[in-house]
Amino acid sequence: MLEGMNVDYDGLIPNNVGLSEDLRVRKALETWHPGYIDWWRDMGPEGFQQALVYLRTAVSVDPKGWAKFDYVKMPEYKWGILLAPAVEGRTIPFGKHKGEPVWQDVPGEYRAMLRRLLVIQGDTEPASVEQQRHLGATAPSLYDMRNLFQVNVEEGRHLWAMVYLLQKYFGTQGREEAEELLRRRSGHQDTPRMLGAFNEATPDWLSFFMFTYFTDRDGKMQLEALAQSGFDPLSRTCRFMLTEEAHHMFVGETGVSRVVERTCEAMKAAGIADPADIEAVRKLGVIDLPTIQKKINLHFSLTLDLFGNEISTNAANAFNAGLKGRYREDKLADDHQLLGDTYPVLRLVDGKIAEEQVPALSALNMRLRDDFVVDAAGGVSRWNKVIEKAGFAYRLTLPHVAFNRAIGEFSAVKADTMGNILLADEWAAHKDDFLPSADDNLYITSLMQPVHETGAYAGWIAAPKVGIDNKPGNFEYVKIHE
Amino acid sequence: MTAVARVKQHLIDPEICIRCNTCEATCPVGAITHDANNYVVDAAVCNFCMDCVAPCPTGSIDNWFMVEQPFTVDDQFGWNELPPRPAEGATESLEAIEDEASALLAEAHARAGGRARAPATASKPRINLFNRDNPAIATVTGNFRITAADAESDVRHIILDFGTVPFPVLEGQSIGILPPGTDAAGGPHAMRLYSIASSRDGERPNTNNLALTVKRVREPRDGGVFQGVASTYLCDLKLGEKVQVVGPYGATFLMPDDPDADIVMICTGTGAAPFRGFTERRRRTSSTVRGKLLMFFGARTPQELPYFGPLQKVPAGVLDKELVYSRRPGAPREYVQDRMRTRAGDVAELLRRETTHVFVCGLRGLEDGVEQAMSDIGRQYGIDWPALRARMLEGGRYHAETY
């Protein structure tokens, strides 16, 4: 096995970055550690801190070694600093420094910009743990509970990943930012998290699945863009984070898919032919497809806001500087500098939605967002296959990008899910057709009853096709009482 | 009829895959690609290195088909689900990805009377995580004799620790040992397979090690003394020495996970290795287990019976054991099949249950003795043994591994 692949588990902080020789950073992280544990106990999963959870921990960043499963109490999870192996001779892949050797230290001129990128990415990680902290109490199965906690500890580790970069490369300022990351709180009136979608509640498990499907997918896109960075430690950090992020995508996609599957199965068994017959479907104790569609509308539109403004000089600057690339920049065949290029962007022109060619550099947010939409559509088509297989004509869709927006050009208007601009009273009259109503949410909440029996699942969700780590159906993923 | 040559093909289950790109990013040879619909493996490029298997968050990556004609990349792009698993030949089953280990296991399983199938409730095994090009390096942390010091037969219990490298195994699987050095022709020594003698979570719960039961092969041959290459190497290992390990292998001779499953274990000599794993597994999950373990274990003398001492300490509630000796001074020769006949009533009762699994492991020839005993017991108790055996094979409930 190559040097630097194996993780040093001897110290307080598991790592493959030689922390035992780097006294300054080790001290900084060890000083930060108690505050992190306090944050985890205060704001991490409520209850279950003493439960034994069957979790995956990386023991090496080599493909064979990063999925070791074992029972762990969450506060004892080995949060560590893991970087993907360095690529020999790597050069900056894009922007005005394209072709120069990658930076192993922060270039002075980009210090502030890079710090900002790290803090924004870092802030989302603890935020989602805070948003999901009450869900353990209503887990539809031990399997789902385990998946929730796996997502939570890995978001915690992603916070560590960003904090390491801040403390290693940004001195006092970095240490202060690291403290601030523990101080902000999702949804808090005075000290909220930095981005809107991370201050929304995740009140039920369907929301959790939608969040991990859509919002964590924004995380994936951002990590993919940062994994291209000319600042090599950031690139290596993000590359390893992506392997963990994939599990979160899995929880979201299969979670929604299992809800859809169970609903179709129940409708079929009861002889219901019309999925829009909400009253009849709800009598079966499952979540009707139109309500699932509304949840998609909500979480998709909230997530689009995370990509920022349609036209952005920040994004252009970060790209020019070689700090943040495009989605899978290494697979794109162009000049990777985009100086004379244009990119089509949907904009609001004279109150109408129209496509405009804009300079490609200032449209980078939209380009990433478009890649996100394509990526997100893949799972929706899988969900539709489940519905199709069950013999129903209903189809789930992604709403128009102008729908329900709070950031960017479309925040100025109200649009329906097809992208038709609505007057204020039309919107008010139809809002509940597009987004979950208070009644919809009450109904979903009524279904959220915990199931703790090994191998059993709540009535509104199907069992998974394959267990975690190839475990059989009756495996006890969480030992609640020990 | 001419047998059609089949090849192994690595496939991704599109119903379970979430298109996260982890496999494509991990694959060192660029065998994995995707379109808007599916992630697929190019059969012409995949070299079965297994690097993509552990990082896959879904388990969709872990599918291996025996096919006459590999599915093309375009075939796979069009799938909504995996095609039906092709009917497998009489002796083919996917116990290992590489031919060397595959051939050894096919040979060991050839005398069960039909194609081997895994018990329905067995955990899904991982196979071929390490191969000749990329072996796992284990450290010897134990090597002690488990036959009496004065016995002719030198059988050793060897513990191999994998440190921080995950080496996931199931009870009943085997590993391959690559002895160092070269053979007479100057090539690497052939791989030797050994059954794992510990349970899936290690010698003690949650240790990353496994145990082997190895008999030193030392026999007169061609006027001299033949010493087995691998067994001599293993038996002489000192603590702290490093060993090259490949595998794990085996996807059919596996313990059922069903706590209600009754298991009849018939073995001689080092054939006891997998059953030590089974017994340990049952002992560790004892609070939920209701199924019975019945063991028939033969050796020449008590001194030569591996694990004689430790076996005495296993509670009767966990293991119902019959130790049988063929060369005990002053006693008539008795073989496992004789003792099975003595316990015919109990064996027949177990055979009538749909939850019963029979495993045979030991030297070649053992399966013939067992076959005769089973037929006799069947006649005595009105059970059509050949028909039952066929049904048990079909359901993954009858297994023989002999060498």
Side-chain angles (χ1 to χ4, degrees):
Chain A
M1 188 159 298
L2 297 173
E3 284 301 311
M5 289 267 206
N6 269 328
V7 177
D8 171 9
Y9 272 105
D10 293 342
L12 177 65
I13 302 158
N15 70 92
N16 69 341
V17 294
L19 215 49
S20 58
E21 282 91 54
D22 192 343
L23 284 181
R24 182 186 65 81
V25 176
R26 197 181 78 193
K27 185 93 192 304
L29 281 168
E30 286 178 356
T31 308
W32 185 80
H33 182 263
Y36 172 81
I37 295 294
D38 284 349
W39 167 81
W40 179 267
R41 289 189 187 279
D42 288 351
M43 297 308 294
E46 193 174 61
F48 306 103
Q49 297 281 349
Q50 290 308 306
L52 285 171
V53 188
Y54 192 68
L55 291 176
R56 175 183 73 173
T57 312
V59 291
S60 135
V61 295
D62 163 78
K64 298 260 162 65
W66 75 274
K68 168 107 172 112
F69 289 84
D70 207 347
Y71 283 108
V72 184
K73 289 180 184 171
M74 282 187 281
E76 293 162 15
Y77 180 81
K78 293 280 191 183
W79 284 290
I81 315 293
L82 306 172
L83 270 58
V87 176
E88 193 84 20
R90 184 170 176 260
T91 56
I92 298 169
F94 56 89
K96 68 178 172 195
H97 302 287
K98 185 180 157 233
E100 298 172 19
V102 289
W103 300 300
Q104 297 304 334
D105 277 303
V106 183
E109 56 191 311
Y110 303 134
R111 212 176 157 75
M113 200 192 298
L114 191 55
R115 198 180 81 217
R116 178 83 185 154
L117 285 174
L118 294 179
V119 169
I120 290 178
Q121 181 63 40
D123 194 65
T124 64
E125 313 291 0
S128 66
V129 177
E130 293 165 3
Q131 288 171 292
Q132 295 159 11
R133 64 185 304 256
H134 302 295
L135 290 174
T138 55
S141 70
L142 294 179
Y143 166 88
D144 288 289
M145 186 190 278
R146 176 259 166 224
N147 285 350
L148 166 71
F149 293 156
Q150 181 78 53
V151 168
N152 291 160
V153 294
E154 286 177 351
E155 297 295 6
R157 204 200 68 72
H158 290 182
L159 172 61
W160 274 87
M162 290 299 128
V163 163
Y164 165 73
L165 294 177
L166 286 168
Q167 295 193 331
K168 166 112 180 148
Y169 298 100
F170 293 90
T172 313
Q173 282 175 321
R175 285 199 294 281
E176 283 167 6
E177 295 282 16
E179 290 300 323
E180 285 301 311
L181 286 170
L182 294 179
R183 220 164 280 148
R184 286 185 286 271
R185 292 284 183 269
S186 174
H188 195 283
Q189 207 175 339
D190 305 323
T191 57
R193 291 293 171 183
M194 299 170 83
L195 300 174
F198 292 91
N199 287 305
E200 298 284 334
T202 309
D204 59 72
W205 277 77
L206 184 55
S207 303
F208 169 63
F209 294 138
M210 292 290 179
F211 184 96
T212 44
Y213 185 76
F214 289 111
T215 308
D216 280 342
R217 189 172 306 271
D218 160 67
K220 168 187 162 180
M221 306 310 284
Q222 301 297 339
L223 290 176
E224 289 271 11
L226 293 171
Q228 304 290 338
S229 182
F231 179 50
D232 206 40
L234 176 59
S235 165
R236 293 173 57 199
T237 300
C238 291
R239 275 196 286 133
F240 191 72
M241 289 165 76
L242 277 166
T243 54
E244 293 168 318
E245 202 70 26
H247 174 261
H248 309 180
M249 307 286 100
F250 158 74
V251 170
E253 181 167 331
T254 57
V256 175
S257 182
R258 290 162 53 216
V259 176
V260 169
E261 183 187 340
R262 179 69 196 110
T263 300
C264 291
E265 191 183 82
M267 287 195 298
K268 241 171 119 174
I272 296 174
D274 178 13
D277 189 348
I278 293 172
E279 204 179 325
V281 175
R282 288 191 180 177
K283 279 191 185 134
L284 307 174
V286 296
I287 304 174
D288 50 281
L289 298 180
T291 298
I292 294 173
Q293 177 66 59
K294 290 187 199 176
K295 282 280 198 180
I296 292 174
N297 296 344
L298 175 67
H299 287 269
F300 179 74
S301 57
L302 284 173
T303 303
L304 291 186
D305 282 344
L306 294 172
F307 290 87
N309 285 310
E310 281 80 355
I311 307 300
S312 164
T313 49
N314 281 343
N317 291 340
F319 183 86
N320 255 335
L323 297 181
K324 184 178 176 184
R326 290 169 294 173
Y327 179 59
R328 298 190 187 149
E329 183 82 38
D330 51 345
K331 298 270 161 49
L332 299 174
D334 57 20
D335 71 353
H336 302 281
Q337 291 183 317
L338 308 178
L339 293 173
D341 296 356
T342 61
Y343 187 81
V345 170
L346 284 185
R347 307 195 63 179
L348 199 60
V349 182
D350 301 331
K352 291 198 178 65
I353 298 167
E355 189 178 286
E356 251 186 22
Q357 290 290 334
V358 304
L361 275 173
S362 50
L364 282 165
N365 282 345
M366 287 310 95
R367 183 172 183 131
L368 193 60
R369 196 193 70 187
D370 288 346
D371 289 330
F372 164 81
V373 173
V374 171
D375 206 48
V380 177
S381 76
R382 296 304 164 105
W383 302 336
N384 282 329
K385 280 175 188 164
V386 173
I387 302 173
E388 199 180 323
K389 209 171 167 181
F392 295 99
Y394 196 93
R395 293 294 172 265
L396 298 167
T397 56
L398 293 177
H400 193 276
V401 294
F403 171 76
N404 191 40
R405 299 295 306 281
I407 303 265
E409 311 215 345
F410 302 119
S411 61
V413 293
K414 293 294 178 198
D416 69 12
T417 53
M418 305 296 287
N420 304 305
I421 307 274
L422 301 181
L423 298 170
D425 55 342
E426 289 174 319
W427 169 258
H430 289 289
K431 185 171 176 249
D432 283 355
D433 298 340
F434 306 138
L435 293 168
S437 66
D439 279 353
D440 295 333
N441 287 329
L442 273 177
Y443 173 68
I444 294 174
T445 306
S446 76
L447 296 178
M448 296 297 127
Q449 303 300 326
V451 174
H452 289 172
E453 194 188 323
T454 304
Y457 291 82
W460 54 271
I461 189 165
K465 287 195 171 62
V466 182
I468 294 294
D469 192 27
N470 279 326
K471 292 296 172 203
N474 62 351
F475 184 72
E476 192 175 10
Y477 288 101
V478 182
K479 295 182 191 235
I480 296 173
H481 309 289
E482 269 298 311
Chain B
M1 199 180 88
T2 340
V4 183
R6 293 170 189 245
V7 291
K8 291 161 196 139
Q9 183 169 17
H10 180 197
L11 297 170
I12 298 173
D13 186 339
E15 274 193 302
I16 300 171
C17 171
I18 58 156
R19 307 162 314 285
C20 68
N21 200 57
T22 305
C23 53
E24 189 176 319
T26 306
C27 179
V29 294
I32 300 180
T33 175
H34 68 277
D35 70 352
N37 193 35
N38 285 337
Y39 274 75
V40 303
V41 186
D42 187 338
V45 183
C46 175
N47 63 357
F48 305 117
C49 74
M50 311 297 275
D51 271 9
C52 56
V53 173
C56 172
T58 68
S60 62
I61 194 94
D62 205 1
N63 288 285
W64 312 90
F65 276 31
M66 296 294 299
V67 293
E68 289 167 16
Q69 186 68 43
F71 297 103
T72 66
V73 163
D74 284 332
D75 290 339
Q76 299 174 56
F77 282 146
W79 289 348
N80 288 329
E81 55 193 19
L82 282 180
R85 203 164 268 276
E88 291 178 36
T91 56
E92 288 167 328
S93 57
L94 205 49
E95 307 263 19
I97 307 286
E98 74 219 287
D99 294 337
E100 191 178 3
S102 234
L104 290 169
L105 276 170
E107 178 64 16
H109 293 170
R111 285 157 197 83
R115 187 171 77 78
R117 282 192 177 80
T121 65
S123 290
K124 193 174 173 189
R126 293 276 168 77
I127 55 170
N128 256 93
L129 294 175
F130 296 88
N131 54 35
R132 266 192 190 276
D133 293 338
N134 174 29
I137 307 299
T139 307
V140 179
T141 55
N143 180 354
F144 39 89
R145 188 172 166 126
I146 46 171
T147 44
D150 56 350
E152 192 183 315
S153 164
D154 179 11
V155 179
R156 290 179 171 267
H157 183 71
I158 297 170
I159 302 171
L160 299 176
D161 190 284
F162 289 90
T164 59
V165 177
F167 196 94
V169 298
L170 294 174
E171 301 80 16
Q173 280 192 294
S174 299
I175 62 167
I177 296 289
L178 303 177
T182 51
D183 63 14
H189 286 297
M191 160 197 310
R192 304 305 201 286
L193 294 191
Y194 292 93
S195 281
I196 293 155
S198 44
S199 88
R200 65 189 73 182
D201 50 352
E203 273 286 89
R204 279 177 292 104
N206 299 319
T207 49
N208 190 24
N209 59 16
L210 56 80
L212 302 179
T213 313
V214 181
K215 181 179 182 188
R216 188 188 292 276
V217 175
R218 193 182 150 81
E219 54 200 36
R221 191 183 289 181
D222 304 332
V225 174
F226 169 78
Q227 302 199 40
V229 173
S231 70
T232 306
Y233 163 65
L234 285 170
C235 291
D236 288 342
L237 282 170
K238 308 266 182 305
L239 298 193
E241 283 193 86
K242 307 286 185 195
V243 181
Q244 294 198 328
V245 180
V246 293
Y249 302 117
T252 59
F253 194 99
L254 299 171
M255 183 176 179
D257 273 345
D258 177 7
D260 291 332
D262 301 296
I263 306 178
V264 180
M265 306 178 289
I266 305 162
C267 60
T268 53
T270 57
F275 304 139
R276 180 176 181 272
F278 286 18
T279 308
E280 267 309 302
R281 177 70 187 163
R282 274 285 163 97
R283 183 150 57 172
R284 286 178 202 176
T285 51
S286 57
S287 61
T288 52
V289 169
R290 291 168 295 268
K292 185 175 169 63
L293 288 186
L294 172 58
M295 175 188 244
F296 295 95
F297 186 178
R300 295 200 299 184
T301 63
Q303 291 73 28
E304 290 193 11
L305 186 121
Y307 304 108
F308 180 82
L311 268 171
Q312 308 305 316
K313 294 182 198 136
V314 181
V318 173
L319 176 69
D320 179 354
K321 60 180 178 292
E322 294 288 350
L323 307 183
V324 189
Y325 308 106
S326 59
R327 301 281 193 285
R328 190 147 59 158
R333 290 189 177 189
E334 190 186 14
Y335 296 95
V336 286
Q337 53 266 37
D338 302 325
R339 191 67 65 88
M340 287 170 68
R341 290 189 185 90
T342 309
R343 296 278 306 261
D346 297 324
V347 173
E349 191 193 325
L350 287 173
L351 289 181
R352 287 204 178 93
R353 297 188 197 166
E354 289 298 314
T355 50
T356 296
H357 295 63
V358 174
F359 291 85
V360 180
C361 188
L363 288 177
R364 192 150 300 157
L366 173 63
E367 62 275 66
D368 298 335
V370 170
E371 186 62 20
Q372 281 163 16
M374 287 295 200
S375 298
D376 292 347
I377 293 168
R379 271 191 293 279
Q380 192 181 346
Y381 286 87
I383 296 167
D384 179 355
W385 168 247
L388 175 61
R389 191 194 56 196
R391 208 154 52 76
M392 291 180 77
L393 271 166
E394 188 71 23
R397 298 195 291 122
Y398 185 80
H399 300 268
E401 191 167 284
T402 57
Y403 38 85

